[in-house]
Structures are given as C-alpha cells and as structure tokens.
C-alpha cells in the first residue's frame, strides 16, 4: 500500500510515519529527512538544498522528485511505503502519479493531518531533535529523561534551524499557499482520510491504524 501523509509542518507526520512504519514494515520516505542527511554528508545536493531550507522555502521540485524516484525503486518499497512530506505542491503530486503509473502502481490513501496554526506554533517552540539519532522530543509534552540530552542515545538535543519562529511563520505561509491545495486534489480522487492531529500521539496513532484497516 502506498500512503501519503499530508499536513502542515509540525502536525506529527514524521512521528506517525515512524510508528506506522514499525507496525506495517513499510519504509518511511521523508524528503525532509533525506535532504537533512544530504546536508549532513555535505553533498552537492545538500548544499543546494540548505539555502532554501534555512529560509523555510521549498527546495526545487526536480530535486525532491529525483530523491523519491530513486528511493522508491529500492527493494524494501516493494510492498508499500509511506510518503512523509512529499508531495508538497500540485506539480509534485502530478509527477508522483506519473512515476507510479509507469510502475503500474498508485497512491492508495492520503491521510490529512488536520490541525490549526496556533497549535503548531506552540509545538514548534518546544520541539527538540537529537543531533545523533534524530529522535524527537518536546520540552513540555515529550521531554527527554536526560534534560538536554537524548534519552535514547545520549546525543545532544537541538532546535532545528527551520523551527525558529520567523522561519516557522514562512513555512506555514508556504504550506497554505502551495501544499493545502492538495487536500482538494486528493479529495477529488476520493483518497483523502481526515485525522485529528491535535490529539496526543498515541491516540492519533490508534485512529490512524483504524483508518487504514
Ligand atoms: P520537513 O522535515 O518535511 O518539514 O521538511 C523540511 C524542509 O525540507 C522544508 O521546509 C523544505 O525546505 C524541504 N522539503 C522537504 N520536503 C520537500 C518537498 N517535498 N518539496 C520541497 N521542499 C521540501
């Protein structure tokens, strides 16, 4: 099964994709994670993408489409995968449909993570990520047992540069302008399922599992 997670930044797509990936053994294909890994490895692609990401802008479609095209051919994607953060606009969605139809496949379901901006701004201000293993925490709702250190691997916790308030504002504006139209795009295809993303993570996951039964 091919499932797209659609929703604003900070709505919990990454957390839920990790949980679902563990349950179903479908890999999580996150363009944001792939881009951050390229930046970490200091590849040319990473250098190109970083300037866009630091300003909260979308990186060019050609870059992310190529990343997904290469990744989805790997053998672990055979039975299905979860797209987390891709597509982010109509032209990426069209490119995805074309790519999958060449492989005689299609998007099965699109889960829409429904949440208001005010909730998201609260979440972003406390979000922390482990620089070593990528585990995510929140100062209030999911604190690390070790304070400013990751309680999974001991790595340092830091705030992503694109989680700074002025960048968050920009990312939300771009989301409403470019990504939100995908709600209409996929509901016309009868693929959209709504998920209340304000709830605590485990409750969201229970509902997500029900939606995909
Ligand atoms: P995320 O971790 O999904 O919030 O993505 C972080 C940043 O990576 C975004 O603000 C964009 O700059 C970039 N990015 C991730 N996915 C895409 C995409 N599908 N299209 C364009 N830019 C993306």
């Amino acid at each position: 099964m091919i499932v797209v997670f659609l929703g604003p930044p900070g709505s919990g797509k990454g957390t839920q994709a990790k949980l679902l990936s563990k349950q179903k053994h479908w890999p999580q294909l996150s363009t944001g994670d792939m881009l951050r890994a390229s930046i970490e490895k200091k590849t040319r692609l990473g250098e190109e993408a970083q300037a866009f990401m630091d300003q909260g802008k979308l990186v060019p479609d050609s870059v992310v489409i190529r990343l997904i095209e290469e990744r989805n051919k790997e053998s672990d994607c055979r039975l299905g995968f979860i797209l987390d953060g891709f597509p982010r606009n109509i032209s990426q969605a069209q490119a995805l449909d074309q790519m999958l139809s060449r492989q005689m496949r299609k998007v099965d379901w699109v889960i829409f993570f429904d949440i208001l901006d005010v909730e998201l701004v609260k979440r972003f201000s406390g979000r922390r990520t482990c620089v070593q293993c990528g585990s995510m925490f929140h100062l209030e709702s999911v604190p690390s047992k070790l304070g400013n250190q990751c309680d999974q691997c001991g790595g340092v916790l830091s705030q992503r540069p694109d989680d700074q308030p002025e960048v968050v504002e920009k990312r939300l504006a771009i989301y409403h302008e470019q990504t939100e139209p995908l709600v209409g795009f996929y509901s016309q295809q009868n693929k959209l399922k709504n998920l209340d993303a304000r709830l605590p993570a485990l409750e969201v996951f229970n509902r997500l599992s029900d939606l995909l039964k």
Side-chain angles (χ1 to χ4, degrees), residues 5 15 28 42-43 85 90 105 112 117 125 136 152 154 159 176 189 199 212:
F5 279 8
T15 304
Q28 169 196 10
K42 300 196 184 331
T43 64
I90 299 278
R105 305 173 94 180
F112 174 52
D117 286 9
S125 60
M136 306 244 277
Q152 306 289 313
Q159 188 173 35
H176 290 301
Q189 297 184 14
L199 299 167
L212 293 174

PDB file of all heavy atoms in Angstrom, residues 5 15 28 42-43 85 90 105 112 117 125 136 152 154 159 176 189 199 212:
ATOM      1  N   PHE A   5       1.227  11.058   3.615  1.00  0.00           N
ATOM      2  CA  PHE A   5       0.876  11.850   4.791  1.00  0.00           C
ATOM      3  C   PHE A   5       0.911  13.318   4.389  1.00  0.00           C
ATOM      4  O   PHE A   5       1.971  13.836   4.013  1.00  0.00           O
ATOM      5  CB  PHE A   5       1.890  11.610   5.923  1.00  0.00           C
ATOM      6  CG  PHE A   5       1.627  10.352   6.713  1.00  0.00           C
ATOM      7  CD1 PHE A   5       0.671   9.436   6.317  1.00  0.00           C
ATOM      8  CD2 PHE A   5       2.352  10.094   7.878  1.00  0.00           C
ATOM      9  CE1 PHE A   5       0.425   8.282   7.048  1.00  0.00           C
ATOM     10  CE2 PHE A   5       2.120   8.939   8.625  1.00  0.00           C
ATOM     11  CZ  PHE A   5       1.154   8.032   8.208  1.00  0.00           C
ATOM     12  N   THR A  15       6.386  11.599  13.236  1.00  0.00           N
ATOM     13  CA  THR A  15       6.199  10.700  14.385  1.00  0.00           C
ATOM     14  C   THR A  15       5.285   9.541  13.994  1.00  0.00           C
ATOM     15  O   THR A  15       5.590   8.369  14.260  1.00  0.00           O
ATOM     16  CB  THR A  15       5.560  11.484  15.553  1.00  0.00           C
ATOM     17  OG1 THR A  15       6.388  12.600  15.833  1.00  0.00           O
ATOM     18  CG2 THR A  15       5.394  10.636  16.789  1.00  0.00           C
ATOM     19  N   GLN A  28       9.485   4.551   5.650  1.00  0.00           N
ATOM     20  CA  GLN A  28       9.045   5.954   5.672  1.00  0.00           C
ATOM     21  C   GLN A  28       9.934   6.725   4.702  1.00  0.00           C
ATOM     22  O   GLN A  28      11.155   6.760   4.883  1.00  0.00           O
ATOM     23  CB  GLN A  28       9.230   6.504   7.093  1.00  0.00           C
ATOM     24  CG  GLN A  28       9.077   8.017   7.215  1.00  0.00           C
ATOM     25  CD  GLN A  28       9.651   8.553   8.528  1.00  0.00           C
ATOM     26  OE1 GLN A  28      10.332   7.826   9.279  1.00  0.00           O
ATOM     27  NE2 GLN A  28       9.404   9.805   8.810  1.00  0.00           N
ATOM     28  N   LYS A  42      27.308  16.699   3.507  1.00  0.00           N
ATOM     29  CA  LYS A  42      27.917  17.773   2.713  1.00  0.00           C
ATOM     30  C   LYS A  42      27.989  17.433   1.217  1.00  0.00           C
ATOM     31  O   LYS A  42      28.992  17.705   0.556  1.00  0.00           O
ATOM     32  CB  LYS A  42      29.314  18.127   3.256  1.00  0.00           C
ATOM     33  CG  LYS A  42      29.323  18.593   4.698  1.00  0.00           C
ATOM     34  CD  LYS A  42      30.629  19.270   5.030  1.00  0.00           C
ATOM     35  CE  LYS A  42      30.800  19.697   6.455  1.00  0.00           C
ATOM     36  NZ  LYS A  42      29.695  20.059   7.271  1.00  0.00           N
ATOM     37  N   THR A  43      26.942  16.823   0.696  1.00  0.00           N
ATOM     38  CA  THR A  43      26.901  16.537  -0.748  1.00  0.00           C
ATOM     39  C   THR A  43      26.507  17.820  -1.478  1.00  0.00           C
ATOM     40  O   THR A  43      26.030  18.781  -0.868  1.00  0.00           O
ATOM     41  CB  THR A  43      25.845  15.461  -1.094  1.00  0.00           C
ATOM     42  OG1 THR A  43      24.560  16.001  -0.761  1.00  0.00           O
ATOM     43  CG2 THR A  43      26.061  14.179  -0.323  1.00  0.00           C
ATOM     44  N   GLY A  85       5.856  14.204   3.837  1.00  0.00           N
ATOM     45  CA  GLY A  85       6.402  15.499   3.391  1.00  0.00           C
ATOM     46  C   GLY A  85       6.564  15.593   1.885  1.00  0.00           C
ATOM     47  O   GLY A  85       7.169  16.545   1.384  1.00  0.00           O
ATOM     48  N   ILE A  90       1.058  20.820  -6.176  1.00  0.00           N
ATOM     49  CA  ILE A  90       0.331  20.072  -7.207  1.00  0.00           C
ATOM     50  C   ILE A  90       1.299  19.466  -8.228  1.00  0.00           C
ATOM     51  O   ILE A  90       1.127  18.316  -8.652  1.00  0.00           O
ATOM     52  CB  ILE A  90      -0.690  20.992  -7.932  1.00  0.00           C
ATOM     53  CG1 ILE A  90      -1.715  21.535  -6.934  1.00  0.00           C
ATOM     54  CG2 ILE A  90      -1.354  20.271  -9.103  1.00  0.00           C
ATOM     55  CD1 ILE A  90      -2.867  20.634  -6.570  1.00  0.00           C
ATOM     56  N   ARG A 105       1.587   1.302 -10.467  1.00  0.00           N
ATOM     57  CA  ARG A 105       1.179   1.446  -9.077  1.00  0.00           C
ATOM     58  C   ARG A 105       0.401   2.747  -8.930  1.00  0.00           C
ATOM     59  O   ARG A 105       0.322   3.528  -9.887  1.00  0.00           O
ATOM     60  CB  ARG A 105       2.414   1.492  -8.153  1.00  0.00           C
ATOM     61  CG  ARG A 105       3.329   0.329  -8.321  1.00  0.00           C
ATOM     62  CD  ARG A 105       4.586   0.517  -7.511  1.00  0.00           C
ATOM     63  NE  ARG A 105       4.474  -0.110  -6.195  1.00  0.00           N
ATOM     64  CZ  ARG A 105       5.436  -0.086  -5.283  1.00  0.00           C
ATOM     65  NH1 ARG A 105       6.555   0.563  -5.516  1.00  0.00           N
ATOM     66  NH2 ARG A 105       5.287  -0.682  -4.141  1.00  0.00           N
ATOM     67  N   PHE A 112      -4.852  13.113   5.871  1.00  0.00           N
ATOM     68  CA  PHE A 112      -4.709  14.552   6.101  1.00  0.00           C
ATOM     69  C   PHE A 112      -4.635  14.836   7.600  1.00  0.00           C
ATOM     70  O   PHE A 112      -5.561  14.553   8.350  1.00  0.00           O
ATOM     71  CB  PHE A 112      -5.879  15.311   5.465  1.00  0.00           C
ATOM     72  CG  PHE A 112      -5.866  16.774   5.777  1.00  0.00           C
ATOM     73  CD1 PHE A 112      -4.725  17.546   5.549  1.00  0.00           C
ATOM     74  CD2 PHE A 112      -6.985  17.400   6.306  1.00  0.00           C
ATOM     75  CE1 PHE A 112      -4.699  18.895   5.847  1.00  0.00           C
ATOM     76  CE2 PHE A 112      -6.964  18.765   6.611  1.00  0.00           C
ATOM     77  CZ  PHE A 112      -5.822  19.505   6.379  1.00  0.00           C
ATOM     78  N   ASP A 117      -3.013  26.441  12.876  1.00  0.00           N
ATOM     79  CA  ASP A 117      -1.689  27.082  13.008  1.00  0.00           C
ATOM     80  C   ASP A 117      -1.312  27.419  14.456  1.00  0.00           C
ATOM     81  O   ASP A 117      -0.169  27.246  14.853  1.00  0.00           O
ATOM     82  CB  ASP A 117      -1.644  28.389  12.193  1.00  0.00           C
ATOM     83  CG  ASP A 117      -1.559  28.124  10.706  1.00  0.00           C
ATOM     84  OD1 ASP A 117      -1.710  26.952  10.309  1.00  0.00           O
ATOM     85  OD2 ASP A 117      -1.353  29.072   9.939  1.00  0.00           O
ATOM     86  N   SER A 125       7.821  25.696  19.128  1.00  0.00           N
ATOM     87  CA  SER A 125       8.707  26.411  20.039  1.00  0.00           C
ATOM     88  C   SER A 125       9.381  25.442  21.014  1.00  0.00           C
ATOM     89  O   SER A 125      10.477  25.710  21.477  1.00  0.00           O
ATOM     90  CB  SER A 125       7.945  27.509  20.770  1.00  0.00           C
ATOM     91  OG  SER A 125       6.898  26.926  21.496  1.00  0.00           O
ATOM     92  N   MET A 136      12.890  12.592  18.316  1.00  0.00           N
ATOM     93  CA  MET A 136      12.258  13.888  18.530  1.00  0.00           C
ATOM     94  C   MET A 136      11.687  13.985  19.938  1.00  0.00           C
ATOM     95  O   MET A 136      11.152  13.002  20.460  1.00  0.00           O
ATOM     96  CB  MET A 136      11.134  14.064  17.533  1.00  0.00           C
ATOM     97  CG  MET A 136      11.573  13.869  16.117  1.00  0.00           C
ATOM     98  SD  MET A 136      11.409  15.360  15.196  1.00  0.00           S
ATOM     99  CE  MET A 136       9.700  15.228  14.789  1.00  0.00           C
ATOM    100  N   GLN A 152      17.648   8.232  24.340  1.00  0.00           N
ATOM    101  CA  GLN A 152      17.811   7.005  23.549  1.00  0.00           C
ATOM    102  C   GLN A 152      19.302   6.719  23.327  1.00  0.00           C
ATOM    103  O   GLN A 152      19.743   5.589  23.432  1.00  0.00           O
ATOM    104  CB  GLN A 152      17.156   7.146  22.164  1.00  0.00           C
ATOM    105  CG  GLN A 152      15.698   7.563  22.201  1.00  0.00           C
ATOM    106  CD  GLN A 152      14.806   6.449  22.706  1.00  0.00           C
ATOM    107  OE1 GLN A 152      14.932   5.312  22.260  1.00  0.00           O
ATOM    108  NE2 GLN A 152      13.940   6.771  23.652  1.00  0.00           N
ATOM    109  N   GLY A 154      21.973   9.420  24.087  1.00  0.00           N
ATOM    110  CA  GLY A 154      22.887  10.331  24.805  1.00  0.00           C
ATOM    111  C   GLY A 154      23.324  11.539  23.993  1.00  0.00           C
ATOM    112  O   GLY A 154      24.061  12.392  24.488  1.00  0.00           O
ATOM    113  N   GLN A 159      17.482  22.573  18.565  1.00  0.00           N
ATOM    114  CA  GLN A 159      16.314  23.049  17.827  1.00  0.00           C
ATOM    115  C   GLN A 159      16.720  23.169  16.362  1.00  0.00           C
ATOM    116  O   GLN A 159      17.759  23.749  16.051  1.00  0.00           O
ATOM    117  CB  GLN A 159      15.878  24.423  18.358  1.00  0.00           C
ATOM    118  CG  GLN A 159      14.561  24.876  17.761  1.00  0.00           C
ATOM    119  CD  GLN A 159      14.021  26.163  18.394  1.00  0.00           C
ATOM    120  OE1 GLN A 159      14.784  27.043  18.763  1.00  0.00           O
ATOM    121  NE2 GLN A 159      12.714  26.247  18.507  1.00  0.00           N
ATOM    122  N   HIS A 176       0.161  26.850   3.364  1.00  0.00           N
ATOM    123  CA  HIS A 176      -1.208  27.219   2.980  1.00  0.00           C
ATOM    124  C   HIS A 176      -1.299  27.539   1.486  1.00  0.00           C
ATOM    125  O   HIS A 176      -2.267  27.188   0.829  1.00  0.00           O
ATOM    126  CB  HIS A 176      -1.690  28.408   3.812  1.00  0.00           C
ATOM    127  CG  HIS A 176      -1.930  28.023   5.247  1.00  0.00           C
ATOM    128  ND1 HIS A 176      -2.821  27.054   5.607  1.00  0.00           N
ATOM    129  CD2 HIS A 176      -1.357  28.443   6.400  1.00  0.00           C
ATOM    130  CE1 HIS A 176      -2.808  26.903   6.928  1.00  0.00           C
ATOM    131  NE2 HIS A 176      -1.915  27.733   7.428  1.00  0.00           N
ATOM    132  N   GLN A 189     -10.053  12.739  -5.909  1.00  0.00           N
ATOM    133  CA  GLN A 189      -9.735  11.342  -6.281  1.00  0.00           C
ATOM    134  C   GLN A 189     -10.292  10.349  -5.253  1.00  0.00           C
ATOM    135  O   GLN A 189      -9.971   9.158  -5.315  1.00  0.00           O
ATOM    136  CB  GLN A 189      -8.215  11.151  -6.364  1.00  0.00           C
ATOM    137  CG  GLN A 189      -7.531  11.981  -7.417  1.00  0.00           C
ATOM    138  CD  GLN A 189      -6.028  11.654  -7.514  1.00  0.00           C
ATOM    139  OE1 GLN A 189      -5.541  10.652  -6.984  1.00  0.00           O
ATOM    140  NE2 GLN A 189      -5.277  12.506  -8.192  1.00  0.00           N
ATOM    141  N   LEU A 199      -4.678  15.641  18.807  1.00  0.00           N
ATOM    142  CA  LEU A 199      -4.709  14.691  19.927  1.00  0.00           C
ATOM    143  C   LEU A 199      -3.301  14.218  20.295  1.00  0.00           C
ATOM    144  O   LEU A 199      -2.368  14.360  19.502  1.00  0.00           O
ATOM    145  CB  LEU A 199      -5.572  13.493  19.513  1.00  0.00           C
ATOM    146  CG  LEU A 199      -7.023  13.853  19.183  1.00  0.00           C
ATOM    147  CD1 LEU A 199      -7.714  12.696  18.477  1.00  0.00           C
ATOM    148  CD2 LEU A 199      -7.758  14.217  20.464  1.00  0.00           C
ATOM    149  N   LEU A 212      -6.688   2.838   8.386  1.00  0.00           N
ATOM    150  CA  LEU A 212      -6.024   2.021   7.361  1.00  0.00           C
ATOM    151  C   LEU A 212      -6.408   0.545   7.420  1.00  0.00           C
ATOM    152  O   LEU A 212      -5.864  -0.265   6.676  1.00  0.00           O
ATOM    153  CB  LEU A 212      -4.490   2.183   7.473  1.00  0.00           C
ATOM    154  CG  LEU A 212      -3.977   3.569   7.111  1.00  0.00           C
ATOM    155  CD1 LEU A 212      -2.480   3.693   7.389  1.00  0.00           C
ATOM    156  CD2 LEU A 212      -4.262   3.903   5.650  1.00  0.00           C
TER     157      LEU A 212
END
